[in-house]
Amino acid sequence: MKPLEKLLKKPGSHLPVRPAAPPGQVPGPGSVPAPRRQSLSRPPASPEEPAGPAGPVPGGEGRWLELRPPEAPLRSPEDPSPGCDRDRDRDRDRDREPPSPEPPPAARCCCGCGCAPAAPAPPERLLAALLDRLPAAAHGRGCGAESLLDDIVLTHSLFLPTERFLQQLHQHFVLAAGSPPARWEEGSGLRRKRAVLAVLLHFLETYKGLLQEEESAGKVIKELYLLIMKDTSLYHELEDEILKLHQLVETVELKVADETPPPNKQVKPLFRHFRRIDSCLQTRVAFRGSDEIFCRVYMPDHSYVTIRSRLSASVQDILASVTEKLQYSEEQSTRGDALILVTMASSGEKAVLQPSEECVFTTLGINSHLFACTRDTFDSLVPLPEEIQVVPGDTEIHRAEPEDVANHLTAFHWELFRCIHELEFVDYVFHGERGRRETANLELLLQRCSEVQHWVGTELLLCEGLGKRAHLLKKLIKIAAICKQNQDMLSFYAIVIGLNNAAVSRLRLTWEKLPGKFKNLFRKFENLTDPCRNHKTYREVLAKMKPPLIPFVPLILKDLTFLHEGSKTLLDGLVNVEKLHCIAEKVRTVRKYRSRPLCLELEASPAQLQTKAYVRQLRVIDNQNLLFELSYKLEPGSQ
């Protein structure tokens, strides 16, 4: 299990359960009842309502657990006040009766104005309900409609494929432009067309480059765009929106199935391929499934072929390219000597990829590689020699200043974070419901997070001198502090997790030589990254930060997974609108984190470029067994 997965699955602390006293036992005179934790089944009292009893009344029957306040104050059986028998009998009779249902509080939309929010509806009706709300409400453009529009555009793929969503939008416009139904009021057709235009504009602004991968969706958008441009009734009041639509359609570069791809398309270098300095110094750009990359596929004798392939290529396509490079005859393929594609980790773990699998390049581990072999030679595969050889020595981190390393970490991770399309978070978690788009940019950032964790342990365990190792430990804690100051919580979290690696934390002599100031600082960092109470401390610190900032992305995916598994998207054929809103809210937090540009003053001196190249091409050991071997060689007797 990867360290990142261990962190997210680490159990939090739980409150001890206080054993109940036996029936009839009375607490001693000197005993003080422990304060009772607020029940999760009882909602807190609203400011307009008086608070209920502060605690349980002796002799009561647990009325404080009910969802409604008691009709009268609870009385103790030992109360000697007059009329207590009559009141007790009346209370007992009332307890035997079924509780009268209270009317639910008036539902409110997200803007808090008191109008009704969007109700659960079938997938085919939800878009119509949105179009009805957009132009017709009294509160500007539509009370709560802006939030509902964003919710549906971000999450519609959970209950309706993108192509079908756009087809429905197209049908609504055609219906409004032709002969509208008799039940529509006068002017409803024009309002419906305006609403369709508003949805299409927001859709294009949100999806942007992702539409290049949606061939069928691009065709529907172009058809709808031509209909809108020919409709003269929209030009009078919506000239700005029409112009904006024209600009968006041109900049999105819609891909249509019958169009030929542009020639001489640039081949992008993948994350860790070839370790070329000129490639790693370039500003990172977003990957798309249609992008072409170079990749090495190794043979059992560790020779390799370099192929040019689409990022979203299937295993079958990759093997076809390898076969062509090797001039593998069709006779060999049909003889049972057909090639299979295998992923090989530095630890020796290997797995056979199925021919239908796609997007395998970005799902590889840090030091994993692709091997092509026959089934007869599968058992003989071993990792590449350079992945298991360890050469202790000084690296760039011993020469660079902590501020420079931390700033270059933040700058590089900001580039990777900016490359992630906000919809990749939804597709990564919910891919099982309606198919999966390519989430290459998100997967590369997660790989980078794991890489930084192993980099911390690698640098420390390759440092043989005790004093030098303690100085490096101090420098790494200082780098984590600067990353936190830069609001780069991804780097901060990864460094702290790396220092908590069992192979590093067991180095007792090294930690003892750490100055007390840095020991206390690291304890604070451990408290900040403590997963107890659902990462409460980290969430409080993050809530106080203002953009730009880089969050700990794995925790966002954990929250989305909780929303996904905690409730159904469709129930009795109706869309769970509340679930869609919660998912969209989480995605909007990512949008907020990136709402401002990151400004770091980085020099362009040769020394700074060397540090930049080092940070962007880290050499790490991701084999935990090998890290433990290095740790025991450095300090055999440490516990």
Side-chain angles (χ1 to χ4, degrees):
M1 184 179 292
K2 297 181 181 178
L4 188 61
E5 297 173 353
K6 290 182 179 179
L7 166 81
L8 297 180
K9 293 186 178 181
K10 183 177 179 181
S13 62
H14 299 279
L15 295 176
V17 179
R18 184 182 181 90
Q25 180 176 343
V26 182
S31 63
V32 179
R36 187 183 295 271
R37 180 168 56 91
Q38 184 180 3
S39 170
L40 297 178
S41 61
R42 180 186 178 92
S46 60
E48 296 82 11
E49 298 174 352
V57 180
E61 296 295 331
R63 291 283 298 276
W64 59 281
L65 283 175
E66 295 181 2
L67 293 178
R68 59 183 178 85
E71 291 81 359
L74 299 178
R75 295 181 181 274
S76 169
E78 292 82 11
D79 189 358
S81 60
C84 65
D85 292 337
R86 183 175 62 255
D87 294 336
R88 192 184 308 120
D89 293 339
R90 185 172 61 250
D91 292 341
R92 188 184 300 115
D93 294 337
R94 188 189 304 115
D95 290 339
R96 292 173 180 170
E97 298 176 358
S100 58
E102 293 189 358
R108 302 191 177 192
C109 73
C110 55
C111 61
C113 66
C115 71
E124 296 77 11
R125 283 290 307 156
L126 195 56
L127 178 58
L130 170 64
L131 296 175
D132 290 338
R133 294 170 67 96
L134 276 176
H139 303 277
R141 182 170 156 187
C143 183
E146 291 290 342
S147 178
L148 180 61
L149 171 61
D150 198 40
D151 293 350
I152 292 179
V153 169
L154 288 174
T155 62
H156 73 270
S157 60
L158 304 187
F159 59 89
L160 205 62
T162 300
E163 181 184 2
R164 180 62 185 148
F165 176 82
L166 292 170
Q167 287 174 351
Q168 286 193 8
L169 204 61
H170 184 278
Q171 291 171 4
H172 280 288
F173 189 89
V174 172
L175 180 63
S179 54
R183 66 179 183 275
W184 284 15
E185 300 177 358
E186 185 178 356
S188 297
L190 181 59
R191 288 196 298 269
R192 177 58 61 93
K193 288 189 289 186
R194 292 176 178 175
V196 170
L197 176 60
V199 174
L200 182 60
L201 284 174
H202 192 77
F203 180 87
L204 292 175
E205 288 177 340
T206 302
Y207 272 69
K208 295 180 181 176
L210 287 185
L211 290 173
Q212 299 176 14
E213 314 303 321
E214 303 276 354
E215 296 182 359
S216 54
K219 189 172 183 179
V220 179
I221 290 176
K222 283 201 170 183
E223 292 177 357
L224 181 56
Y225 164 71
L226 293 176
L227 283 177
I228 293 176
M229 296 300 291
K230 293 177 181 177
D231 196 319
T232 56
S233 62
L234 295 175
Y235 276 94
H236 181 60
E237 297 180 0
L238 301 177
E239 184 177 353
D240 294 338
E241 285 80 357
I242 296 292
L243 179 61
K244 185 177 181 181
L245 174 64
H246 177 71
Q247 294 172 347
L248 280 173
V249 170
E250 285 190 342
T251 56
V252 161
E253 300 178 2
L254 296 174
K255 184 177 181 181
V256 182
D258 53 0
E259 293 183 358
T260 57
N264 302 326
K265 188 172 183 179
Q266 182 182 5
V267 181
K268 298 181 180 179
L270 198 54
F271 196 50
R272 297 173 54 82
H273 281 250
F274 307 115
R275 302 186 185 278
R276 288 171 45 188
I277 298 300
D278 58 339
S279 297
C280 71
L281 292 180
Q282 296 175 4
T283 302
R284 299 299 300 187
V285 294
F287 280 104
R288 295 289 174 252
S290 59
D291 291 337
E292 293 186 336
I293 61 167
F294 287 121
C295 180
R296 289 175 179 172
V297 180
Y298 292 84
M299 303 296 117
D301 60 355
H302 292 169
S303 62
Y304 64 86
V305 294
T306 302
I307 63 171
R308 176 173 175 170
S309 172
R310 289 181 297 107
L311 187 63
S312 60
S314 65
V315 172
Q316 188 174 0
D317 296 335
I318 297 173
L319 286 176
S321 300
V322 173
T323 301
E324 182 181 355
K325 281 274 187 177
L326 293 176
Q327 296 181 349
Y328 208 64
S329 66
E330 296 182 2
E331 181 182 354
Q332 289 175 296
S333 300
T334 57
R335 252 192 351 229
D337 296 336
L339 294 177
I340 58 175
L341 197 64
V342 180
T343 59
M344 169 72 74
S346 61
S347 61
E349 298 179 4
K350 46 194 173 183
V352 179
L353 298 175
Q354 299 302 318
S356 59
E357 292 187 48
E358 297 180 347
C359 307
V360 298
F361 296 111
T362 55
T363 57
L364 295 174
I366 300 173
N367 290 326
S368 298
H369 296 280
L370 292 176
F371 280 75
C373 65
T374 61
R375 294 194 179 274
D376 295 336
T377 58
F378 173 77
D379 294 332
S380 63
L381 294 181
V382 293
L384 298 179
E386 59 264 26
E387 301 297 352
I388 57 178
Q389 290 179 352
V390 177
V391 182
D394 290 349
T395 58
E396 179 64 25
I397 192 173
H398 295 276
R399 296 182 289 270
E401 294 294 327
E403 291 81 4
D404 296 335
V405 176
N407 289 338
H408 281 293
L409 279 173
T410 301
F412 185 44
H413 295 166
W414 178 255
E415 291 179 14
L416 296 176
F417 185 49
R418 288 283 298 175
C419 287
I420 302 174
H421 196 285
E422 57 190 23
L423 287 169
E424 290 189 43
F425 290 92
V426 179
D427 295 330
Y428 186 87
V429 175
F430 299 88
H431 60 85
E433 295 202 2
R434 290 290 179 178
R436 180 176 182 175
R437 296 187 187 89
E438 291 78 12
T439 56
N441 303 289
L442 178 56
E443 289 166 351
L444 289 177
L445 184 63
L446 295 177
Q447 184 186 117
R448 174 65 177 186
C449 183
S450 181
E451 185 181 46
V452 173
Q453 296 172 34
H454 288 97
W455 162 71
V456 171
T458 301
E459 292 289 1
L460 281 170
L461 296 174
L462 291 180
C463 189
E464 295 180 332
L466 177 60
K468 202 170 187 178
R469 193 163 60 250
H471 179 73
L472 179 58
L473 177 61
K474 173 183 172 182
K475 177 179 283 189
L476 287 169
I477 295 175
K478 190 179 293 185
I479 291 173
I482 299 173
C483 287
K484 179 176 177 291
Q485 183 178 351
N486 290 342
Q487 299 192 146
D488 178 10
M489 302 307 291
L490 183 77
S491 303
F492 168 79
Y493 238 103
I495 294 174
V496 173
I497 294 173
L499 292 175
N500 275 320
N501 188 307
V504 175
S505 59
R506 65 169 298 277
L507 300 175
R508 179 177 54 84
L509 299 178
T510 305
W511 286 93
E512 286 179 353
K513 288 186 70 69
L514 190 67
K517 173 184 176 182
F518 285 88
K519 288 181 181 177
N520 294 333
L521 182 61
F522 185 67
R523 289 194 195 100
K524 293 181 181 179
F525 291 169
E526 286 184 307
N527 292 333
L528 177 55
T529 57
D530 189 354
C532 292
R533 302 181 66 184
N534 196 15
H535 301 265
K536 179 176 182 293
T537 307
Y538 164 76
R539 295 181 190 274
E540 291 176 347
V541 171
L542 194 70
K544 298 177 182 178
M545 293 182 175
K546 296 181 179 180
L549 64 94
I550 308 174
F552 185 52
V553 173
L555 192 55
I556 297 177
L557 299 177
K558 179 183 177 182
D559 293 341
L560 287 172
T561 303
F562 175 80
L563 289 172
H564 178 34
E565 298 178 351
S567 58
K568 295 182 178 180
T569 306
L570 293 173
L571 187 61
D572 297 332
L574 302 179
V575 179
N576 188 348
V577 181
E578 185 63 27
K579 177 179 178 178
L580 302 187
H581 179 70
C582 292
I583 296 168
E585 279 293 313
K586 185 60 64 175
V587 175
R588 279 190 282 267
T589 59
V590 177
R591 189 184 298 170
K592 182 185 71 173
Y593 296 153
R594 305 187 295 193
S595 58
R596 293 183 180 180
L598 177 70
C599 299
L600 286 176
E601 297 181 1
L602 300 175
E603 299 178 2
S605 62
Q608 289 289 336
L609 291 178
Q610 190 173 358
T611 303
K612 180 179 180 180
Y614 165 76
V615 165
R616 292 174 177 239
Q617 289 287 341
L618 299 174
R619 290 182 176 268
V620 303
I621 300 173
D622 63 340
N623 186 346
Q624 190 65 29
N625 293 330
L626 187 54
L627 292 176
F628 267 116
E629 290 180 12
L630 294 171
S631 179
Y632 278 100
K633 285 181 181 179
L634 294 176
E635 297 185 21
S638 297
Q639 297 295 331

